[in-house]
Amino acid sequence: MKFGGTSVANIDRIKAVALKIKSEVEKKNKIIAVVSAMSGVTNDLVSLVKQASETYESSEYDAVLSSGEQVTSALLSIALQSLGIKSRSWLGWQIPIITNDVHGNARIKEIKKENILKSLDNGFVTIVSGFQGISSKNRITTLGRGGSDTSAVALAAAFSADRCDIYTDVDGIYTTDPRIVKNAKKLDYITYEEMLELASQGAKVLHTRSVALAMKYSVKLRVLSSFQNLPGTTVVNEEHNMEKSEIIGIAHNPNEAKITISIVPDKPGQAALIFGALADKGINVDMIVQSSTIDNSSTDITFTIPENDLILAQGILKNIQNEIGFSQVTSDINVVKISIVGNAMRSQPGIAKTMFATLANNQINIHVISTSEIKISVLVSSDYTELAMRSLHTAFSLDKK
Ligand code: ASP
Ligand code: MG
């Protein structure tokens, strides 16, 4: 059972979570519960670090950030004990959850099971501080923002749990963000692959890596509300999915920036130089288009990166401008990436046509397009976010009846 920040936002909610765990204990289930920090706390900790110094060692940043989960795991354990249930809180290093040493975005290498197995066998509920581990250099690491979902799925996989229930502040996975499209509807089922695409294209409900991990280890994953007693959404393999609609969901990511490099001499190796320089500084490039002039003398390259990396990217490109000999770099942060996702795309023709025609009918200009087997993404001006999402939601018959 995993409880996110809003589910442990205050003592009353922590007590409510304790009651939920109690009801599972009464069904004779053995429970590992993973908690996030109280909502807002991790942001406050980030801000404290930045106030202490503009530059800092990422290992110390992790030591600060991981503290929010320490508080909630112990408070939840206390709340359970007050209900007469045996429980114990565990920090990542006490288990230990061993990660690599990429501070701020560490990956789990191994979970040692002995300590927890013993504790479960002795009848204790295990409460784990999410989002954290320990590196081989004996330093506390964090798994990246939103990473306690990944802690939960990794523990479920390591212990071959029957289920991994992610309790959150929404009652499941929706066809799109219900705050933007009021006709969004809740899905009973979604496949791992579809969930993975939706999460990586901006749907905030699950940490993307947690979905990849669940898919790899076939963890039975459910997303449900910690406030209401509703069935939620179950993430399944394709063959179990009874819903055959064309498109399952629409995601949006407003945190993209578009960069265009104009008049790049058209010869081999240029793209490798440009994207190599960005990769060396850890900038993740997402959508890319390149188009050459008719005589193949030069080419324009347009791509997107996270908005936060724009200043860094501009500096890097300036440094290589003379070497490569392009004419200029322009950028735009007033863009949003909108993606439609669905397994049916593999076999059904005409989905791209419907998407583009819908946008055209609404006078929405497309800057960049990218696709995968089960996804089409377009980059459009962010002024059109709502219009694009609502009209696509209707066009693909996703609206709630
Ligand atoms: N508390 C961490 C964060 O806010 C991890 C999480 O909530 O999943 O990013
Ligand atoms: Mg989260």
Side-chain angles (χ1 to χ4, degrees):
M1 302 172 82
K2 183 260 172 178
F3 298 93
T6 48
S7 310
V8 293
N10 55 46
I11 295 296
D12 282 342
R13 294 216 170 145
I14 289 175
K15 287 183 174 170
V17 165
L19 286 172
K20 258 198 190 318
I21 294 175
K22 182 172 183 244
S23 71
E24 291 292 340
V25 171
E26 283 165 352
K27 290 180 209 154
K28 303 271 181 274
N29 286 320
K30 287 184 181 173
I31 308 294
I32 300 175
V34 175
V35 288
S36 291
M38 292 177 172
S39 59
V41 165
T42 311
N43 287 344
D44 292 346
L45 293 170
V46 172
S47 146
L48 286 176
V49 170
K50 297 201 163 143
Q51 287 172 52
S53 169
E54 271 176 26
T55 58
Y56 43 81
E57 280 179 18
S58 52
S59 49
E60 301 299 4
Y61 169 92
D62 276 356
V64 175
L65 255 68
S66 63
S67 66
E69 275 74 6
Q70 173 163 355
V71 173
T72 46
S73 61
L75 287 174
L76 178 55
S77 184
I78 291 169
L80 274 167
Q81 288 163 2
S82 79
L83 297 174
I85 291 177
K86 292 202 303 188
S87 76
R88 181 206 145 151
S89 63
W90 296 82
L91 296 168
W93 64 267
Q94 292 172 315
I95 294 174
I97 294 176
I98 300 165
T99 71
N100 64 14
D101 60 3
V102 181
H103 285 282
N105 198 21
R107 287 184 177 259
I108 297 172
K109 290 163 88 173
E110 193 191 350
I111 296 178
K112 298 272 189 212
K113 296 200 286 189
E114 299 78 52
N115 289 328
I116 289 192
L117 282 178
K118 211 177 290 164
S119 184
L120 287 172
D121 282 344
N122 287 331
F124 284 81
V125 172
T126 297
I127 315 281
V128 177
S129 304
F131 178 52
Q132 56 180 265
I134 186 163
S135 74
S136 59
K137 295 181 181 145
N138 205 24
R139 300 297 313 254
I140 291 172
T141 53
T142 64
L143 308 182
R145 298 303 307 273
S148 45
D149 295 335
T150 296
S151 308
V153 173
L155 284 158
F159 288 90
S160 309
D162 294 317
R163 284 194 333 254
C164 180
D165 289 346
I166 307 275
Y167 286 91
T168 179
D169 52 358
V170 290
D171 58 350
I173 308 294
Y174 276 70
T175 48
T176 192
D177 188 336
R179 284 165 303 189
I180 298 179
V181 181
K182 68 173 190 322
N183 280 327
K185 63 179 178 220
K186 197 184 85 185
L187 299 164
D188 295 330
Y189 296 99
I190 187 168
T191 68
Y192 289 114
E193 278 180 299
E194 289 166 331
M195 192 60 240
L196 191 56
E197 286 281 13
L198 283 180
S200 63
Q201 298 309 322
K204 289 271 164 50
V205 188
L206 289 173
H207 197 225
T208 306
R209 279 165 48 199
S210 73
V211 185
L213 209 57
M215 179 156 103
K216 182 169 173 192
Y217 293 99
S218 297
V219 172
K220 181 156 185 229
L221 196 59
R222 288 199 302 176
V223 177
L224 31 158
S225 164
S226 55
F227 308 118
Q228 294 159 285
N229 232 333
L230 294 168
T233 302
T234 306
V235 190
V236 293
N237 285 319
E238 193 168 1
E239 55 266 31
H240 299 137
N241 193 0
M242 306 300 287
E243 300 198 339
K244 283 278 187 271
S245 71
E246 295 187 345
I247 294 301
I248 198 151
I250 301 174
H252 79 294
N253 181 1
N255 305 318
E256 301 245 332
K258 180 182 81 158
I259 296 182
T260 299
I261 308 179
S262 315
I263 321 190
V264 184
D266 199 0
K267 59 179 194 209
Q270 305 292 62
L273 273 173
I274 292 167
F275 294 115
L278 295 168
D280 286 346
K281 291 283 188 263
I283 297 181
N284 218 345
V285 173
D286 181 19
M287 311 170 91
I288 304 176
V289 282
Q290 175 184 321
S291 58
S292 300
T293 49
I294 208 149
D295 62 356
N296 284 331
S297 63
S298 72
T299 176
D300 290 345
I301 300 178
T302 297
F303 56 92
T304 63
I305 58 169
E307 215 171 68
N308 288 338
D309 289 334
L310 182 59
I311 291 169
L312 178 61
Q314 283 165 330
I316 295 167
L317 295 172
K318 203 159 187 53
N319 285 337
I320 56 173
Q321 178 161 15
N322 285 341
E323 182 189 348
I324 298 185
F326 53 79
S327 86
Q328 63 165 345
V329 176
T330 48
S331 60
D332 187 358
I333 55 166
N334 188 30
V335 289
V336 61
K337 182 174 60 166
I338 294 180
S339 308
I340 59 169
V341 171
N343 258 324
M345 224 180 272
R346 293 182 209 277
S347 53
Q348 226 140 29
I351 291 176
K353 190 213 99 184
T354 303
M355 183 182 206
F356 302 151
T358 304
L359 296 171
N361 290 341
N362 288 286
Q363 307 295 322
I364 301 171
N365 194 30
I366 302 171
H367 298 306
V368 188
I369 301 168
S370 69
T371 66
S372 79
E373 276 195 305
I374 64 163
K375 174 207 78 183
I376 304 171
S377 302
V378 294
L379 193 74
V380 301
S381 160
S382 40
D383 303 341
Y384 295 119
T385 306
E386 289 189 23
L387 181 60
M389 289 174 71
R390 288 197 187 130
S391 56
L392 290 169
H393 201 264
T394 306
F396 287 106
S397 312
L398 294 171
D399 288 350
K400 188 162 62 185
K401 294 278 151 39

